[in-house]
Amino acid sequence: MFEDARIKLTAWYLVIIMTISGLFSFVIYHNINNEFRRFEKLSELMQKERVVFDGPFRRLQLPPSRIDLATIREARRRLVTALGLINIAILGIAGTAGYFLAGRTLRPIRSMVDEQNQFISDASHELRTPLTALKAELEVTLRDKRLTLPQAKHTIKDSIAEVNTLQALSDSLLTLAQYQKPNGHTPMQYVSLEEAARAAIKNVQPLATAKRISLIPRFQSVRVRGNPYSLTELAVILLDNAIKYSNRSDEIEIIVKKQGAAAILAVSDHGVGIPEKDLPHIFDRFYRADAARTKSAQNGYGLGLAIAKKISDLHHATISVTSKPNVGSTFTVTFDSARFQKG
Ligand code: ADP
């Protein structure tokens, strides 16, 4: 598909370049040919009427009678050959350069399409497995001739829990797809980072309370250029993870501060931590560190940090992590100075 597009684009480059080159050649030929005609006429006049001319012929350093028609015809032929050769050379050079440029032009589109295809295949894979399990469970229950009402209710309850998880997965996929849109426009304004963090705390407070976890805010007043909804979502993801991967009765710090010319949003926990080998991958879609541990103990599909990364990118911020197993993790989002406004 991309090879076809590359060849078509090269062809269009060639059409444009060769049209311009052809026009130039025509103008050059036309003007020089006019001069040749003038010489032809002068030559005829000289031979017929024996008029003595000076001026242009003196410059040629030829006696007027020696400019014969054969010489002019030869000069015209050479001009046509030279112009033809120049156009062939331009065709060759423009073809090669055009093919190279077309490749470069299409490269970002190609990587975008590849990424979207990968996203679709990852998403369908993640959706298919639980859907198949759910279908199998319902079919087995339906075929059971001795099924009692309590058993049926139990299966339905389990299925609803599965559906809820799938719904959460599809919501996360939609959010991620939203942030992946190449031309997606997110309205930006100056936002209080502290307010975004407070909104996130309010959102996750029930989860923290359920695990008796204390959320400790350490806030300075900082404003950044961003989208209030997305920034709250970013803080919710980091806090939600911190709660998920913390032990009961732990403390989690959420920090908003100025650091030099930058603004910082950080979430620090004392939970299970992340093994060093997993650190480079945790922002990848569907990546879950130590899958056996996390999947059985915690629900999640490895999309949260991928969304957090997209939101950071959208704000031209960087997201980083420092972590040690069984000591804890700190996720830090750094907003650069150009988008930072003191509040
Ligand atoms: P998930 O839904 O699995 O939490 P995320 O994308 O949010 O997906 O996180 C990816 C992985 O990074 C998680 O599976 C977990 O192993 C690890 N992780 C993220 N945040 C933390 C944290 N605060 N403490 C320990 N591990 C974490």
Side-chain angles (χ1 to χ4, degrees):
M1 172 193 163
F2 276 97
E3 203 45 40
D4 275 2
R6 189 176 188 178
I7 289 167
K8 273 187 197 148
L9 199 57
T10 310
W12 275 111
Y13 286 155
L14 279 180
V15 167
I16 294 165
I17 291 168
M18 292 321 293
T19 309
I20 295 170
S21 167
L23 278 173
F24 265 118
S25 305
F26 176 76
V27 170
I28 290 168
Y29 177 78
H30 184 74
N31 284 341
I32 296 180
N33 196 36
N34 278 350
E35 289 301 305
F36 285 153
R37 279 209 194 112
R38 216 160 56 82
F39 282 130
E40 277 169 350
K41 274 197 189 122
L42 283 174
S43 176
E44 278 165 18
L45 277 175
M46 277 185 306
Q47 277 166 14
K48 275 185 209 154
E49 299 172 20
R50 295 180 184 282
V51 180
V52 178
F53 281 91
D54 49 11
F57 303 105
R58 214 184 272 161
R59 266 190 272 131
L60 288 169
Q61 293 178 329
L62 285 169
S65 56
R66 301 256 321 262
I67 299 179
D68 57 280
L69 294 173
T71 314
I72 292 173
R73 267 199 299 277
E74 173 62 16
R76 188 182 277 131
R77 199 186 57 75
R78 282 190 191 172
L79 174 68
V80 172
T81 313
L83 287 175
L85 286 176
I86 288 171
N87 273 284
I88 290 170
I90 290 176
L91 184 73
I93 295 168
T96 317
Y99 187 73
F100 173 73
L101 278 178
R104 287 194 69 137
T105 311
L106 290 171
R107 202 178 296 157
I109 304 172
R110 182 181 205 149
S111 71
M112 206 176 70
V113 172
D114 285 350
E115 166 150 359
Q116 282 187 348
N117 286 342
Q118 188 60 43
F119 177 75
I120 292 168
S121 96
D122 288 351
S124 8
H125 177 78
E126 289 294 322
L127 283 166
R128 194 190 296 139
T129 317
L131 276 175
T132 313
L134 185 63
K135 188 173 162 229
E137 195 182 342
L138 288 172
E139 278 172 353
V140 168
T141 312
L142 196 65
R143 263 189 252 123
D144 187 351
K145 291 205 175 88
R146 285 168 297 167
L147 185 75
T148 61
L149 189 61
Q151 279 172 330
K153 277 191 176 170
H154 182 73
T155 308
I156 292 172
K157 214 172 138 200
D158 279 358
S159 304
I160 289 174
E162 269 298 311
V163 169
N164 284 341
T165 319
L166 280 168
Q167 200 172 23
L169 169 62
S170 86
D171 287 348
S172 298
L173 282 171
L174 273 177
T175 310
L176 191 58
Q178 209 68 28
Y179 285 117
Q180 282 195 168
K181 266 191 201 161
N183 298 322
H185 178 68
T186 311
M188 297 285 186
Q189 62 194 70
Y190 277 101
V191 186
S192 159
L193 208 50
E194 181 193 344
E195 266 170 40
R198 280 196 199 286
I201 290 182
K202 207 169 152 199
N203 196 306
V204 299
Q205 191 61 62
L207 297 174
T209 310
K211 275 180 93 173
R212 296 178 182 277
I213 288 174
S214 319
L215 301 177
I216 302 171
R218 299 204 193 285
F219 292 158
Q220 284 179 3
S221 181
V222 185
R223 291 169 80 77
V224 294
R225 190 150 171 74
N227 179 276
Y229 174 78
S230 305
L231 289 174
T232 304
E233 194 168 19
L234 170 61
V236 166
I237 292 169
L238 299 183
L239 278 173
D240 183 56
N241 276 346
I243 296 169
K244 247 186 339 190
Y245 300 109
S246 280
N247 306 304
R248 282 185 81 80
S249 311
D250 266 357
E251 284 185 350
I252 294 170
E253 264 185 299
I254 171 157
I255 301 151
V256 172
K257 65 175 182 184
K258 300 162 194 165
Q259 189 166 285
I264 305 280
L265 167 74
V267 173
S268 194
D269 66 57
H270 307 284
V272 294
I274 306 165
E276 207 178 328
K277 68 170 176 48
D278 293 314
L279 284 175
H281 309 290
I282 55 167
F283 295 101
D284 296 348
R285 260 185 335 234
F286 299 113
Y287 190 86
R288 310 199 70 214
D290 194 351
R293 165 176 63 85
T294 51
K295 206 144 201 163
S296 58
Q298 314 290 345
N299 45 24
Y301 282 92
L303 287 176
L305 288 180
I307 297 173
K309 171 89 173 62
K310 291 279 174 206
I311 298 176
S312 297
D313 291 349
L314 186 74
H315 288 80
H316 304 274
T318 51
I319 185 163
S320 59
V321 57
T322 52
S323 186
K324 249 193 177 159
N326 301 318
V327 176
S329 314
T330 300
F331 284 84
T332 308
V333 186
T334 309
F335 299 83
D336 72 20
S337 52
R339 278 151 216 280
F340 155 75
Q341 191 196 40
K342 287 183 185 173

